[in-house]
Amino acid sequence: MSFNLASYIDHTILKQTTTVAEVDKVCVEASMAGFVSVCIPPRYVAGAKKLLDGSKVKVATVIGFPLGYNATEVKVREIEEAIHMGADELDMVIDLCALKSGDWKHLTHELEACMAPVYQAGRILKVIVESGMLTDSELIACCQLYGKYEIDFMKTSTGFSGTGATIHAVRMMREFLPARIGIKASGGIRDYEFARQLIDAGANRLGCSSSMQLMKEFKVATGA
């Protein structure tokens, strides 16, 4: 196998009942395994940043999560607060109500407003489109809109809707997004075989809560 699975993984815990002890455990696991980042609730960013000090693991958090229909001003404030606490990467849910209503002007304004503090601070922005709730034409339209901007990643899913990452969605995103924009597949990635298929389809990052199990399977499959 020509790649290290750990270098794709955002080790994730975002359930509503997440405790500080669980976040600490995720941080230790990510540091030991060499994952790219931990993706955690905003309230835990400062503590995770301190715990991971000296490691290469980034701290990611979520914005407008998980439904996406927060006012743009609220999302901007969430971003500013997360950056202040030390977040390296921001995973932002788009306003799906606007998308389903055909209000692309609002989505454009939302993105431009949210991009400003992220890039002023030199951070990473991932735009979550909840691909499992979109038609193919809507997903293509998202690729066309967000592909015009200097976002870092488009992310398939929150993991809180009925459908998470799919091979089909990742392939479509890779086809219709510029090569400079990464793809994060997230939601329902519970075994190494599916993770490998998503990477083969074009995913550059994987959001996983079953990361340690995936690494065990990866090592068995590849002899790593």
Side-chain angles (χ1 to χ4, degrees), residues 133-153:
M133 293 183 169
L134 306 183
T135 64
D136 284 357
S137 61
E138 287 170 339
L139 181 55
I140 291 169
C142 283
C143 293
Q144 292 170 338
L145 171 60
Y146 297 112
K148 296 176 184 177
Y149 291 86
E150 295 296 322
I151 65 170
D152 298 284
F153 292 85

Side-chain angles (χ1 to χ4, degrees), residues 14-76:
L14 291 170
K15 62 183 181 178
Q16 294 97 320
T17 56
T18 300
T19 65
V20 65
E22 289 173 319
V23 172
D24 288 351
K25 180 174 182 285
V26 162
C27 289
V28 171
E29 289 173 344
S31 184
M32 291 177 62
F35 296 140
V36 183
S37 80
V38 293
C39 189
I40 58 175
R43 67 177 291 115
Y44 296 121
V45 167
K49 191 70 176 176
K50 186 178 295 184
L51 188 59
L52 289 166
D53 185 41
S55 83
K56 295 181 179 179
V57 180
K58 304 297 185 184
V59 176
T61 194
V62 288
I63 306 297
F65 198 84
L67 301 177
Y69 49 43
N70 311 49
T72 298
E73 294 77 11
V74 174
K75 289 182 179 177
V76 171

Side-chain angles (χ1 to χ4, degrees), residues 73-150:
E73 294 77 11
V74 174
K75 289 182 179 177
V76 171
R77 185 69 187 92
E78 285 185 78
I79 289 168
E80 291 171 343
E81 180 64 18
I83 290 171
H84 176 72
M85 290 190 293
D88 301 295
E89 304 189 350
L90 296 307
D91 292 29
M92 183 196 78
V93 187
I94 67 168
D95 188 336
L96 292 156
C97 295
L99 187 155
K100 288 294 186 179
S101 299
D103 192 352
W104 297 95
K105 183 177 179 180
H106 174 82
L107 292 171
T108 300
H109 167 71
E110 174 184 74
L111 179 65
E112 291 177 351
C114 290
M115 281 180 64
V118 175
Y119 292 120
Q120 185 175 1
R123 303 303 201 267
I124 297 294
L125 179 64
K126 308 188 196 94
V127 175
I128 308 173
V129 298
E130 206 69 273
S131 57
M133 293 183 169
L134 306 183
T135 64
D136 284 357
S137 61
E138 287 170 339
L139 181 55
I140 291 169
C142 283
C143 293
Q144 292 170 338
L145 171 60
Y146 297 112
K148 296 176 184 177
Y149 291 86
E150 295 296 322

